Amino acid sequence: MTKTHLTKCELEVMDVVWRKGRATVQEVVDSLERPLAYTTVMTTLKILDETRGVLRKQKKGRAYEYEPTVSREMISRSMAADLTDRLFGGSVKSLVLSLVEGDSMSQSDIEELKLAIQSLEADA
């Protein structure tokens, strides 16, 4: 998959569609955490479908229903890779160290990270 960077608004809309599996414009509007105009959501869904290619639409009665063509994990990986490239010169180690050193990780997060590293080492 090519690198896909989604805006905050696009991610909010995608979150609703990922949770529901498929959704109409009105269902997205009704499910968003913050109020967005119907036309804003409609335009965002159109961009995600026609420009970004991360949604596909199907006619459902008089409305269109949108469903994801990519998983949340694929977008997460793509955006994390983009962040790593742009802010850390492609260094995953620098990204991880920045997160670990920045008080943003709980002790349980650190323990999970240790387990993930041990699993990666065992597979290598």
Side-chain angles (χ1 to χ4, degrees), residues 67-113:
E67 64 181 324
T69 59
V70 296
S71 68
R72 182 186 306 267
E73 292 75 24
M74 290 174 70
I75 293 295
S76 296
R77 285 189 190 118
S78 176
M79 290 182 70
D82 183 55
L83 178 71
T84 302
D85 289 343
R86 290 190 301 136
L87 293 180
F88 299 97
S91 171
V92 174
K93 177 185 86 171
S94 295
L95 169 66
V96 172
L97 288 174
S98 173
L99 293 171
V100 171
E101 293 168 353
D103 292 340
S104 62
M105 293 184 72
S106 67
Q107 190 59 40
S108 70
D109 289 337
I110 293 169
E111 292 303 319
E112 281 186 58
L113 184 57

